[in-house]
Amino acid sequence: MTKEEIEQLLQKIEDLKAQKLQDVEDIRVKFLGKKGEITKMFEEFRSVLPEQKKEFGQKLNLLKTKAAERIEVLRQGFENVQIAGCEKFDFTKPGDKFELGTRHPISLAREEILDIFGKFGYAVAEGPEIEDDWHVFTALNFPPDHPARDMQDTFFINPDSNDPILLRTHTSSVQVRTMERMPLPIRVVCPGRVFRNEAISARAHCIFHQVEGLYIDKNVSFADLKQAILLFVREMFGPDTQIRMRPSYFPFTEPSTEVDISCNICGGKGCNICKGTGWLEIMGAGMVDPNVLEASHIDSTKYTGFAFGMGIERIAMLKWQVNDLRHYFENDVRFLREFQSVI
Ligand code: DAH
């Protein structure tokens, strides 16, 4: 027996591992049993020279104590497992599968739209879903007899009141709230849920989502609007996307336009998605009507601005070729799983 042998054995003991309770008992026998390695060393101790007895004795006692401690630690490990009632637990069994959640395509599209405009310096503004007539219609230059003010189109919460409260029909209401609140210049995108009294079909729903955009500053021009939309659609639908603007009418913008993008499915050649035209409508836009600026106390002789509004469902439909609006609301996991790879 040498000092090195004792040291080596000490190291070996520190590293001992057991897979099951029986292993602990085997270890005890191997080292501390009647014919165990440590027991044998104690027998050899008798023939150690008297002047070395003290040193060897201390080392052997340490070895024995450490071995007993290590064995106890290993034993306790199994006792804990038994207490927890899982002594029959099969650690080699493959784990239970669990479903990985996915983000809803509307959330994905909304985040992407906001990210793109975020890069252009647009802040995000939000407003209430339950609104008053002023913010949804009057301040946006809707004439008193406009059909959108009709119950056929708008959900009124208090239909008989002279002070109508309603579910907003568009996020343009947040434009008004932003103009009332924020210092100029303003550059915001306003995402949110909107409500319209419409029959549910593949192309229409009574609840959907929009993102409104608003930019007001000195000398903002229609060219700025065109450029902002072009940059946006190229980020969203790919660098080769073209835009086309058709004259249109909205009470809150003058001039107004409807914006189309070149069909991202057929590349503009004409297919059944773009109905053979090569173009897909994606948003309404225009220069903010001076009446709208003045209604929110912005001097329309000094400031101009542009606004645009798009349906998130529509953007997501075009981007991922979803052919029925109802898929977004039915939460069929087979549909939602399709977007796992988009995240
Ligand atoms: N609010 C319009 C709608 O819901 C969309 C829209 C069109 C918003 C033109 C705008 C705009 O800001 O300039 O159909």
Side-chain angles (χ1 to χ4, degrees):
M1 176 175 60
T2 65
K3 281 184 244 169
E4 286 71 35
E5 279 169 353
I6 300 176
E7 298 288 340
Q8 276 166 11
L9 199 52
L10 190 60
Q11 189 56 50
K12 201 166 152 188
I13 278 161
E14 301 269 302
D15 296 339
L16 281 174
K17 292 206 167 50
Q19 298 288 345
K20 49 187 187 311
L21 196 55
Q22 184 56 46
D23 293 351
V24 183
E25 179 56 14
D26 293 348
I27 287 169
R28 193 194 62 77
V29 173
K30 182 163 188 278
F31 293 100
L32 298 173
K34 270 192 187 143
K35 292 180 186 159
E37 289 182 37
I38 296 175
T39 318
K40 266 195 212 143
M41 283 181 160
F42 271 91
E43 279 161 18
E44 287 171 37
F45 177 71
R46 283 187 217 128
S47 47
V48 167
L49 295 171
E51 60 269 30
Q52 289 183 335
K53 270 219 154 61
K54 188 175 172 207
E55 192 185 355
F56 271 80
Q58 278 172 349
K59 282 196 185 302
L60 277 180
N61 279 331
L62 181 71
L63 180 65
K64 192 173 175 183
T65 321
K66 288 274 174 201
E69 272 172 19
R70 181 76 199 141
I71 288 165
E72 191 49 29
V73 166
L74 291 175
R75 192 192 315 280
Q76 269 173 17
F78 288 97
E79 272 169 12
N80 289 342
V81 172
Q82 278 171 338
I83 288 164
C86 47
E87 67 276 13
K88 292 201 184 98
F89 194 88
D90 178 359
F91 289 96
T92 63
K93 195 178 153 209
D96 288 336
K97 263 196 179 172
F98 60 88
E99 289 282 335
L100 202 59
T102 63
R103 302 207 58 196
H104 193 280
I106 299 301
S107 303
L108 293 170
R110 185 189 53 214
E111 292 310 307
E112 195 168 340
I113 295 167
L114 298 184
D115 274 358
I116 294 170
F117 282 104
K119 280 194 268 182
F120 304 158
Y122 285 70
V124 177
E126 285 181 306
E129 293 177 346
I130 298 174
E131 264 292 10
D132 51 25
D133 173 274
W134 172 259
H135 291 94
V136 178
F137 298 128
T138 305
L140 287 164
N141 202 31
F142 277 76
D145 55 353
H146 193 281
R149 291 169 176 256
D150 198 317
M151 282 198 54
Q152 300 291 316
D153 295 288
T154 302
F155 291 112
F156 286 92
I157 287 172
N158 53 351
D160 302 324
S161 163
N162 290 332
D163 220 354
I165 300 292
L166 45 101
L167 298 182
R168 67 179 175 196
T169 54
H170 54 182
T171 44
S172 303
S173 54
V174 189
Q175 263 192 41
V176 179
R177 291 197 172 270
T178 312
M179 287 190 282
E180 288 169 348
R181 243 189 10 236
M182 268 176 71
L184 294 163
I186 290 171
R187 206 187 310 200
V188 288
V189 270
C190 322
R193 217 158 41 144
V194 300
F195 307 83
R196 286 187 199 172
N197 197 354
E198 301 221 26
I200 296 170
S201 72
R203 319 194 99 247
H205 209 284
C206 54
I207 302 175
F208 56 102
H209 301 78
Q210 290 186 329
V211 173
E212 185 79 14
L214 178 70
Y215 176 33
I216 302 177
D217 201 349
K218 290 181 177 139
N219 301 319
V220 177
S221 72
F222 199 89
D224 297 322
L225 169 63
K226 252 169 94 173
Q227 187 62 15
I229 293 176
L230 185 65
L231 289 174
F232 163 68
V233 300
R234 290 194 167 166
E235 289 271 325
M236 193 78 196
F237 294 100
D240 299 327
T241 313
Q242 304 291 324
I243 58 168
R244 172 175 92 165
M245 288 178 149
R246 286 175 289 108
S248 185
Y249 172 76
F250 298 102
F252 34 91
T253 42
E254 184 57 36
S256 302
T257 174
E258 232 133 354
V259 183
D260 300 339
I261 55 167
S262 51
C263 179
N264 58 333
I265 316 261
C266 63
K269 287 194 208 73
C271 65
N272 61 350
I273 303 289
C274 61
K275 302 203 189 75
T277 64
W279 296 97
L280 301 161
E281 188 192 319
I282 59 151
M283 66 168 90
M287 300 306 291
V288 181
D289 191 302
N291 290 345
V292 173
L293 296 173
E294 296 294 340
S296 295
H297 310 295
I298 293 174
D299 186 346
S300 64
T301 60
K302 290 204 183 111
Y303 287 94
T304 51
F306 64 68
F308 54 85
M310 66 189 109
I312 303 181
E313 279 79 358
R314 173 134 185 99
I315 299 283
M317 272 175 127
L318 298 176
K319 193 169 165 88
W320 295 305
Q321 283 126 52
V322 177
N323 58 8
D324 192 319
L325 201 57
R326 289 167 291 194
H327 288 313
Y328 290 129
F329 303 99
E330 282 165 3
N331 290 330
D332 183 331
V333 288
R334 290 169 302 179
F335 171 71
L336 297 175
R337 266 191 213 125
E338 303 246 327
F339 296 90
Q340 237 155 15
S341 58
V342 179
I343 300 173

